[in-house]
Amino acid sequence: MAVYRVTVATGDVAEAGTKNNISITLVGATGESPQTTIGCRLYPGQEKELSVSCSRELGAVVLVRLHKAQVFLEDSWFCREIRVRAPDSPVRRFPCYQWLEGNCVLEVREGSAQKLSDDALPVLLEQRRRELAQRQRAFEWKSFAEGWPHCLRVESVEELDSNVKFSGVRDRHFNGALLYHQASLQLSGFLSRAAPWQSLQEMTTVFSRAKGRDIGGCLPAPTPA
């Protein structure tokens, strides 16, 4: 029996965790492992460790399959990476950085870059074929009007996969950063300033990150009595 040590890392962005059921299958050069449950409560930034037992060694692990099963309510999951340590072998990394939604299966390759000509194993060639077909369906073009550039064959941006559209999480991060910098400029006096700049040094008090911002430092000085 061969035992593989697996670490599954959830992304550290907001709402990356899930309460849906997540499981994993290791795909090696000479066979596949049984589908093994990772858990149904994964939290942002968490690294979950588990053992995957096989009746025999799988050879070099070239793919991992992540299975997501929706339980009652949909709860998307953002996987950062998977690390696999085979018996008497170094750790192999499988970077993911993708959202899994609904009931789905995602195949993740080992992190070293490979060209099509490098794929000697049938399982890798088949995975590449499936991935290409899926991308062709996801990014199918249509003609909006004669003479216009082609556009995606979707009626709304909501139909797009979360991995290719500007997500709600990113939108909140963007708006949060915008509000923070607006407040910073307001407190520094920049947004309410009506008088002209007196020098570059005065501007530095607002825009220099190295020196920080003196609150009110760029407000007009009171006129001497």
Side-chain angles (χ1 to χ4, degrees):
M1 175 177 287
V3 178
Y4 294 79
R5 298 294 302 169
V6 179
T7 302
V8 179
T10 299
D12 58 1
V13 298
E15 302 178 13
T18 185
K19 295 182 178 66
N20 286 178
N21 188 38
I22 307 295
S23 55
I24 190 171
T25 301
L26 305 181
V27 181
T30 59
E32 299 184 6
S33 74
Q35 184 173 326
T36 305
T37 299
I38 298 172
C40 58
R41 283 187 177 273
L42 301 175
Y43 301 98
Q46 179 187 14
E47 292 195 354
K48 185 71 175 289
E49 296 185 354
L50 65 148
S51 298
V52 177
S53 300
C54 306
S55 58
R56 59 186 178 86
E57 291 195 11
L58 306 176
V61 179
V62 294
L63 284 176
V64 296
R65 290 196 189 106
L66 295 172
H67 311 261
K68 179 177 176 295
Q70 181 176 327
V71 180
F72 300 113
L73 298 178
E74 164 59 11
D75 192 12
S76 300
W77 176 52
F78 185 79
C79 177
R80 188 175 81 240
E81 69 169 357
I82 305 98
R83 301 190 295 273
V84 179
R85 182 184 292 276
D88 303 320
S89 297
V91 173
R92 298 175 72 91
R93 294 179 177 270
F94 297 80
C96 183
Y97 296 95
Q98 294 189 58
W99 289 96
L100 280 74
E101 299 177 319
N103 296 304
C104 66
V105 177
L106 177 66
E107 293 181 324
V108 183
R109 282 177 171 244
E110 197 263 334
S112 58
Q114 298 286 327
K115 302 188 295 294
L116 177 60
S117 58
D118 298 326
D119 290 343
L121 295 173
V123 65
L124 291 178
L125 293 171
E126 179 61 20
Q127 184 274 336
R128 193 182 289 270
R129 185 196 65 78
R130 287 194 299 268
E131 183 180 50
L132 178 60
Q134 188 275 331
R135 289 179 179 271
Q136 288 174 335
R137 291 192 300 270
F139 300 107
E140 186 178 359
W141 296 104
K142 71 176 181 180
S143 178
F144 178 74
E146 186 176 354
W148 285 61
H150 287 180
C151 59
L152 284 177
R153 191 178 294 278
V154 293
E155 299 301 324
S156 167
V157 69
E158 297 302 322
E159 298 179 28
L160 295 174
D161 187 272
S162 293
N163 294 299
V164 298
K165 69 181 179 182
F166 198 75
S167 70
V169 173
R170 295 176 189 145
D171 185 57
R172 286 191 290 275
H173 286 178
F174 178 82
N175 288 327
L178 179 63
L179 290 173
Y180 171 81
H181 290 294
Q182 283 180 333
S184 179
L185 291 174
Q186 182 67 44
L187 291 172
S188 69
F190 173 72
L191 294 182
S192 59
R193 182 184 178 89
W197 299 105
Q198 300 300 317
S199 66
L200 289 176
Q201 181 63 31
E202 189 180 18
M203 297 177 67
T204 302
T205 63
V206 176
F207 297 108
S208 173
R209 294 184 178 181
K211 295 183 179 180
R213 298 183 176 91
D214 297 325
I215 296 177
C218 66
L219 292 174
T223 304

